[in-house]
Amino acid sequence: AQKITQTQPGMFVQEKEAVTLDCTYDTSDPSYGLFWYKQPSSGEMIFLIYQGSYDQQNATEGRYSLNFQKARKSANLVISASQLGDSAMYFCAMREGQGNTGKLIFGQGTTLQVKP
Amino acid sequence: NAGVMQNPRHLVRRRGQEARLRCSPMKGHSHVYWYRQLPEEGLKFMVYLQKENIIDESGMPKERFSAEFPKEGPSILRIQQVVRGDSAAYFCASSPRASGGPSYNEQFFGPGTRLTVL
């Protein structure tokens, strides 16, 4: 069963607009962590933002925020004021809790293109 | 403070040859994870190692693949008798400790090794 689902293979956004990248997850573990990574065309993996399952507030990091809806098991990434440099592949990932070794489970990714 | 280092960045092998991928974790990190990214896909966990120990190899193919993280030196991912389907980007990540679940514990990724099998 797919544990992390990113339903948008590709997205376009106009420069300076906000964009939401969807991520839903599936786990029966009450303890888990959710991550978003950016992978530009150069290929490296860049950590963006983290949300713990017990965190009361949605995580924010600069222009990135995570819309965490626990009951719906969704962890959408919101990028405000898009910039051309935001064009990249974005991956949602989950780390489960009890007994886990810390390995990450990744979604298939969403390609974001920012238009000037 | 250098980040996670991987070498080589690009590796070309012919079918049947061996591929050795190296990963030097960040200073002070004793936990290493290997992930594989096939073209147009997300990363898939392969193996998790601590110094001199394989902790979780549930994502490793049963044959031809092995990994080690010796007391001294980098972690090595070894692929014997490579086939075209092994062509992928292989990422290493390190962390200072292992913890599951909600505790914040970032894995720092290396730049990856892109393996091409001809």
Side-chain angles (χ1 to χ4, degrees), chain B residues 64-83:
Chain B
R64 302 187 298 108
F65 285 71
S66 62
E68 62 178 15
F69 188 16
K71 188 176 180 181
E72 301 291 338
S75 175
I76 306 283
L77 179 67
R78 182 182 177 210
I79 312 171
Q80 295 178 290
Q81 299 176 320
V82 295
V83 300

Side-chain angles (χ1 to χ4, degrees), chain A residues 48-94:
Chain A
L48 295 178
I49 197 166
Y50 168 82
Q51 180 89 40
S53 60
Y54 296 128
D55 292 345
Q56 295 295 316
Q57 295 194 340
N58 286 347
T60 59
E61 288 286 349
R63 293 186 300 111
Y64 304 108
S65 60
L66 201 152
N67 184 3
F68 182 44
Q69 298 190 38
K70 197 169 180 177
R72 298 176 63 181
K73 293 189 176 177
S74 74
N76 298 341
L77 176 71
V78 180
I79 306 174
S80 62
S82 298
Q83 301 172 356
L84 295 178
D86 294 334
S87 295
M89 190 84 157
Y90 288 81
F91 291 99
C92 179
M94 178 175 66

Side-chain angles (χ1 to χ4, degrees), chain B residues 1-72:
Chain B
N1 191 9
V4 179
M5 316 241 328
Q6 288 189 250
N7 66 80
R9 294 291 305 275
H10 299 274
L11 182 62
V12 179
R13 285 288 177 265
R14 296 192 179 279
R15 281 180 297 171
Q17 291 184 317
E18 179 180 287
R20 278 185 179 240
L21 288 62
R22 293 174 186 77
C23 168
S24 296
M26 287 181 70
K27 188 176 180 180
H29 289 193
S30 58
H31 300 261
V32 166
Y33 301 80
W34 285 94
Y35 295 86
R36 176 165 67 174
Q37 184 180 29
L38 295 171
E40 308 300 323
E41 293 190 11
L43 280 69
K44 296 272 195 309
F45 167 78
M46 299 181 76
V47 63
Y48 160 53
L49 310 102
Q50 295 177 21
K51 285 282 187 182
E52 300 184 276
N53 286 303
I54 296 174
I55 308 300
D56 180 354
E57 56 182 346
S58 58
M60 286 278 268
K62 295 286 183 257
E63 297 177 349
R64 302 187 298 108
F65 285 71
S66 62
E68 62 178 15
F69 188 16
K71 188 176 180 181
E72 301 291 338

Side-chain angles (χ1 to χ4, degrees), chain A residues 39 43 50 95-96 101-102 104, chain B residues 33 35 37 101-103 105 107:
Chain A
Q39 187 177 43
Y50 168 82
R95 182 185 62 216
E96 291 176 306
T101 56
L104 296 175
Chain B
Y33 301 80
Y35 295 86
Q37 184 180 29
S103 60
N105 183 23
Q107 289 183 19

